[in-house]
Amino acid sequence: MEVIERVSALRAIVTALRCSGKRIGFVPTMGALHEGHLQLLRASARENDITICSVFVNPTQFNNASDYKLYPRTLEQDISLLQTVGCDYLFAPSAEEVYPQQSVLQFSFGALEAVMEGEHRPGHFNGVAIVVSKLFHIVQPHKAYFGQKDLQQVAIVRQLVQTLSFDLELVCYHTVREADGLAMSSRNKRLTATQRQHATQLYKALQMAAADLKHKAIPDIKAEVAAYLGQVDELQLEYFEIVDAYTLQPVTDVQAQEEVAICIAAFVGEVRLIDNMIVNLNEI
Ligand code: AMP
């Protein structure tokens, strides 16, 4: 695997690969890689001739300076892991390389960013859209791989790809969890042992809500989850929403839906975690 830091170097490689007819799979990440990332990389290696991974902690998508500063950075370990999953190129640029001048570009995603992560992290999806657009232009992938763990991000990127006519296929893979159900996340590394135990309650809350969907009203489910999580030490619920799995708009009547997503965001100590579960109402 080759590690590339410069945009110009990667552009030259991509041009040569495309000229020789190779199909490129791309997995954008912020590093501190875990099994959730590795499943995307393995899928890309299976489905394409060449796999490119990016590791870039993107400053423009952080609306909290300390979250950016404390985000885990483990590049040496990431390189070792990438070598085990068939990755051909790692793009690991500096912030100056990606942003030679400050970006003032503004995206708007309408209703999609008015809820959940968009509502609670102002500017977050603008930063995501800027970096994803830049990376798509540089890497020119045939397929790009994302995780359901960041469900709203997938919806935003889908809208971005459609609106700007990026010529690529988006692929979304399910959320990889720890044995006790906690969704894998680079931020889990920042939890203390006790916080790590408390964090499992997020998945429990999703399961509880899913089990209640058919026979309880949504306000009652939300109240029950808030009360349940309210008892957990060091856990501060930010939002809990039951939304249409495609539009991500809150639903009022579950019976009228085919598929809903149950979405949660909470602070465990200082660490902000998100998770979600998609429920097909015909299957429960
Ligand atoms: P990140 O490094 O957190 O920006 O994530 C890079 C990609 O990996 C995104 O598309 C995430 O949705 C995906 N990802 C992160 N954690 C998981 C997980 N536990 N399961 C599946 N995909 C994940």
Side-chain angles (χ1 to χ4, degrees), residues 5-265:
E5 294 176 1
R6 306 304 298 260
V7 171
S8 55
L10 186 56
R11 278 195 202 284
I13 289 166
V14 165
T15 304
L17 289 170
R18 283 208 153 234
C19 280
S20 59
K22 299 286 189 213
R23 294 194 57 86
I24 300 172
F26 176 45
V27 184
T29 82
M30 297 205 297
L33 300 180
H34 50 68
E35 192 52 38
H37 300 112
L38 299 184
Q39 74 154 347
L40 302 179
L41 285 148
R42 286 193 203 97
S44 171
R46 257 193 330 267
E47 296 170 11
N48 302 276
D49 300 314
I50 295 291
T51 289
I52 302 178
C53 175
S54 62
V55 168
F56 179 60
V57 184
N58 173 37
T60 64
Q61 73 187 71
F62 284 81
N63 57 329
N64 176 322
S66 115
D67 190 25
Y68 175 64
K69 198 164 149 250
L70 297 174
Y71 197 87
R73 291 161 170 88
T74 59
L75 192 62
E76 288 310 310
Q77 201 183 315
D78 292 346
I79 291 173
S80 307
L81 285 170
L82 287 168
Q83 280 161 342
T84 68
V85 288
C87 182
D88 300 289
Y89 297 95
L90 166 61
F91 182 45
S94 65
E96 295 71 34
E97 182 69 10
V98 177
Y99 296 106
Q101 64 263 325
Q102 206 189 340
S103 173
V104 289
L105 187 60
Q106 289 291 329
F107 285 86
S108 172
F109 293 94
L112 198 49
E113 68 174 337
V115 295
M116 302 192 290
E117 294 301 284
E119 183 187 357
H120 290 271
R121 300 183 71 189
H124 169 64
F125 286 127
N126 194 54
V128 168
I130 291 171
V131 81
V132 168
S133 303
K134 276 175 174 279
L135 289 169
F136 282 174
H137 281 303
I138 297 165
V139 177
Q140 295 179 53
H142 295 87
K143 285 188 173 188
Y145 294 78
F146 289 83
Q148 186 203 311
K149 157 86 169 31
D150 298 278
L151 184 67
Q152 199 171 0
Q153 173 171 277
V154 176
I156 292 277
V157 175
R158 191 188 297 127
Q159 192 168 316
L160 181 76
V161 165
Q162 282 166 358
T163 308
L164 294 184
S165 307
F166 279 106
D167 186 16
L168 57 86
E169 182 188 340
L170 278 190
V171 187
C172 179
Y173 271 81
H174 70 269
T175 302
V176 179
R177 300 181 179 281
E178 303 287 355
D180 60 10
L182 177 66
M184 289 191 184
S185 163
S186 305
R187 287 187 175 87
N188 293 351
K189 291 190 168 66
R190 293 181 49 204
L191 299 169
T192 65
T194 329
Q195 290 169 347
R196 168 68 187 76
Q197 275 185 335
H198 295 326
T200 60
Q201 300 303 324
L202 297 187
Y203 184 56
K204 297 240 169 67
L206 293 179
Q207 285 179 308
M208 199 165 92
D212 283 348
L213 270 182
K214 278 265 169 156
H215 51 271
K216 283 193 183 158
I218 288 183
D220 295 342
I221 299 177
K222 288 174 92 168
E224 190 179 272
V225 164
Y228 176 71
L229 292 178
Q231 298 168 354
V232 181
D233 275 353
E234 294 193 78
L235 194 150
Q236 188 71 44
L237 182 62
E238 191 171 73
Y239 65 75
F240 176 83
E241 297 288 354
I242 299 173
V243 299
D244 180 293
Y246 196 78
T247 65
L248 302 190
Q249 300 308 301
V251 296
T252 43
D253 179 13
V254 168
Q255 307 314 322
Q257 296 288 138
E258 214 163 276
E259 240 180 11
V260 297
I262 311 173
C263 303
I264 194 165

